[in-house]
């Protein structure tokens, strides 16, 4: 009986070792099939964030990204569901689609904020000096959204019309196109600037921001801006579609810089294209926000 138990124990141990050896071989094969991609670094040794944006491989300087890059399929920041907890992101490569990420953009000269660089010092200085004095803050919070599905909208025509319809239905007033454009943008004011309930100029612009749009030659609204119309500090929420890549941009900034809207769109287009790399991650041009 004793000999039988010893033989059984040996068999179990041998089976376990074989299984471990088998798993190890599979893991090695899997590792060979998924080589670690080449990733660029900055002068501080920080690795770029990589992925696929607008159908192109990109390498985004590590000091530029606000917080982190979100990839398609990533659970929400506050998603505590069991599914989110079990989620395992695929290996990050230049083919893994990015969903969104953010960065800070300076409207006055098109600079990108990069941590530990002079732009970081500039940003902190502007924060401490301009904001307390109520002076216009030249930085815009920018979010990049990847249009990874062909079913996603590529213009704001529907969104604009739906907004006007909701205003009529809920707020009981109309938006009127103004006779003159502003900075080349078609300009709409809520009820021509008059609160219909008080018959006085608006005192609350929560439901009545000024609207500015820009249409291309085909009549498609490619730029959609909503700006505060009252208050000591007025902000604009500026959305636009990139011309060169299927990407949607959202940027918020002080209304004093509304006149920079067109140059801002061109600059951000240039910035994102500077992060496009070859399929294996090799740089094609100098990256915006990275300094030697």
């Amino acid at each position: 009986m004793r000999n039988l138990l010893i033989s059984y124990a040996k068999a179990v141990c041998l089976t376990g070792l074989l299984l471990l050896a088998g798993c190890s071989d599979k893991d090695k094969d899997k590792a060979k099939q998924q080589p670690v991609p080449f990733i660029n670094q900055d002068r501080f040794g920080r690795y770029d964030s990589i992925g696929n944006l607008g159908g192109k491989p990109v390498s985004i300087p590590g000091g530029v990204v606000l917080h982190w890059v979100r990839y398609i399929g990533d659970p929400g920041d506050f998603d505590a569901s069991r599914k989110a907890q079990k989620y395992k992101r695929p290996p990050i490569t230049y083919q893994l689609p990015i969903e969104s990420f953010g960065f800070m953009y300076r409207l006055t000269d098109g600079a990108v904020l990069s941590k530990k660089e002079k732009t970081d010092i500039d940003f902190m200085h502007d924060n401490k000096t301009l904001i307390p004095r109520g002076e216009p803050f030249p930085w815009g919070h920018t979010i990049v959204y990847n249009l990874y599905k062909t079913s996603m909208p590529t213009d704001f025509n529907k969104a604009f019309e739906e907004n006007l319809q909701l205003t009529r239905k809920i707020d009981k007033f109309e938006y009127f196109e103004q006779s003159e454009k502003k900075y080349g943008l078609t300009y709409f004011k809520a009820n021509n600037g008059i609160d219909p309930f008080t018959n006085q100029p608006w005192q609350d612009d929560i439901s009545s921001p000024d609207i500015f749009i820009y249409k291309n030659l085909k009549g498609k609204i490619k730029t959609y801006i909503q700006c505060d119309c009252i208050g000591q500090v007025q902000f604009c929420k500026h959305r636009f579609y990139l011309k060169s890549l299927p990407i949607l941009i959202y940027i918020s900034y002080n209304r004093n810089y509304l006149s920079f809207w067109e140059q801002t769109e061109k600059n951000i287009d240039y910035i994102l294209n500077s992060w496009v790399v070859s399929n294996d991650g090799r740089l094609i041009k100098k990256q915006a926000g990275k300094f030697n």
Side-chain angles (χ1 to χ4, degrees):
M1 182 68 177
R2 184 171 177 274
N3 291 337
L4 182 62
L5 288 172
I6 291 172
S7 299
Y8 177 75
K10 287 181 178 178
V12 170
C13 289
L14 181 59
T15 303
L17 289 170
L18 288 171
L19 286 171
L20 286 172
C23 290
S24 178
D25 290 341
K26 287 179 181 177
D27 289 341
K28 288 179 182 177
D29 291 340
K30 191 174 182 180
K32 288 178 182 178
Q33 292 171 3
Q34 296 178 340
V36 177
F38 167 80
I39 301 178
N40 296 287
Q41 293 175 269
D42 64 12
R43 64 195 180 100
F44 299 106
R46 296 176 296 195
Y47 285 97
D48 288 5
S49 295
I50 68 171
N52 197 278
L53 182 67
K56 301 282 187 179
V58 293
S59 186
I60 310 162
V64 165
V65 176
L66 279 179
H67 310 305
W68 55 81
V69 172
R70 179 183 296 282
Y71 295 89
I72 301 301
D74 283 358
D77 296 343
F78 305 102
D79 188 350
S81 67
R82 185 173 298 179
K83 182 180 179 181
Q85 292 172 6
K86 290 183 177 180
Y87 174 76
K88 290 184 179 180
R89 180 192 289 158
I92 298 177
T93 67
Y94 291 99
Q95 287 70 50
L96 184 64
I98 290 171
E99 182 176 289
S100 62
F101 66 93
F103 63 93
M104 296 301 295
Y105 166 84
R106 187 161 57 195
L107 289 106
T108 49
D109 63 356
V112 179
L113 187 151
S114 184
K115 293 295 183 183
K116 296 186 179 181
E117 299 289 0
K118 187 179 182 301
T119 48
D120 192 17
I121 298 171
D122 293 344
F123 178 82
M124 290 188 287
H125 177 266
D126 291 343
N127 240 321
K128 292 177 181 178
T129 58
L130 299 180
I131 292 178
R133 296 200 298 257
E135 295 181 25
F137 190 60
W139 296 89
H141 180 206
T142 309
I143 305 177
V144 179
Y145 295 99
N146 190 10
L147 303 180
Y148 55 93
K149 292 182 180 178
T150 55
S151 59
M152 289 179 164
T154 56
D155 62 65
F156 298 107
N157 290 57
K158 184 178 179 181
F160 178 62
E161 287 303 322
E162 287 179 348
N163 184 34
L164 297 186
Q165 290 174 14
L166 282 173
T167 301
R168 295 187 196 104
K169 184 177 180 180
I170 298 173
D171 299 311
K172 310 299 183 185
F173 63 81
E174 296 272 354
Y175 266 91
F176 292 93
E177 181 177 340
Q178 302 304 292
S179 58
E180 294 184 8
K181 290 188 176 184
K182 201 166 184 70
Y183 313 123
L185 296 163
T186 305
Y187 180 20
F188 294 83
K189 286 188 74 68
N191 203 46
N192 278 327
I194 301 298
D195 186 336
F197 298 102
T198 64
N199 209 31
Q200 298 293 323
W202 289 101
Q203 298 299 313
D204 179 2
D205 61 0
I206 293 175
S207 60
S208 59
D210 288 347
I211 295 177
F212 303 88
I213 64 170
Y214 179 79
K215 293 181 180 181
N216 64 12
L217 295 175
K218 295 181 179 180
K220 301 296 183 181
I221 301 173
K222 293 293 186 176
T223 297
Y224 187 13
I225 307 173
Q226 294 176 298
C227 295
D228 298 335
C229 57
I230 61 170
Q232 185 176 356
V233 180
Q234 299 173 12
F235 280 91
C236 290
K237 299 174 182 178
H238 178 170
R239 291 178 288 167
F240 66 94
Y241 289 98
L242 235 59
K243 290 182 179 179
S244 61
L245 296 169
I247 294 171
L248 169 65
I249 303 294
Y250 167 92
I251 178 171
S252 60
Y253 50 78
N254 190 292
R255 182 165 176 164
N256 284 66
Y257 297 106
L258 177 60
S259 61
F260 290 62
W261 74 270
E262 192 169 14
Q263 190 60 49
T264 293
E265 294 188 2
K266 290 178 181 177
N267 288 346
I268 291 178
D269 194 315
Y270 173 82
I271 289 165
L272 294 183
N273 273 283
S274 80
W275 297 336
V276 174
V277 293
S278 65
N279 289 328
D280 60 355
R282 305 296 168 175
L283 299 182
I284 297 173
K285 59 181 71 173
K286 181 175 173 56
Q287 295 168 290
K290 186 179 283 187
F291 304 87
N292 297 327

